[in-house]
Amino acid sequence: MTEVHLKGRLVCRDEREAALVADHLLRHIELTRAEQGCRSFTVTPTEDRLVWRVEEVFDDAASFRRHQDRVQGSAWGGGSHRKH
């Protein structure tokens, strides 16, 4: 079993998108951490109000795929922010 480790940035295009992220962030973190296979998940603000640092660890590729599938169907995934 190979863990999946991801580090990146969540970048919003404008203040409207940043407000959307802020509105959904706590619930998204809560749901992600409760997923089977999620070992850790953090989203940390940066000095730029439009950018957050994201770090994720999942047990394996299958658990990470399940996470991505869940997010695609959520209010969080429906936003136009993007991960880099």
Side-chain angles (χ1 to χ4, degrees):
M1 184 182 317
T2 302
E3 286 184 342
V4 175
H5 294 255
L6 296 169
K7 290 184 180 184
R9 298 179 311 146
L10 184 150
V11 180
C12 296
R13 293 181 204 159
D14 55 31
E15 292 291 335
R16 185 192 62 75
E17 282 188 4
L20 180 65
V21 168
D23 287 347
H24 294 280
L25 183 58
L26 291 179
R27 182 69 176 147
H28 177 64
I29 291 170
E30 177 183 334
L31 290 172
T32 300
R33 288 179 178 169
E35 290 175 2
Q36 182 178 358
C38 179
R39 292 197 178 183
S40 68
F41 182 80
T42 59
V43 181
T44 309
T46 67
E47 292 179 11
D48 183 335
R49 294 187 318 195
L50 301 181
V51 179
W52 286 263
R53 207 171 12 263
V54 180
E55 296 187 34
E56 308 173 60
V57 179
F58 289 86
D59 284 342
D60 52 30
S63 60
F64 180 66
R65 271 192 305 277
R66 284 191 303 272
H67 164 69
Q68 293 217 305
D69 289 345
R70 181 191 63 80
V71 169
Q72 287 299 327
S74 72
W76 177 269
S80 52
H81 54 272
R82 58 208 181 280
K83 281 188 186 175
H84 296 279

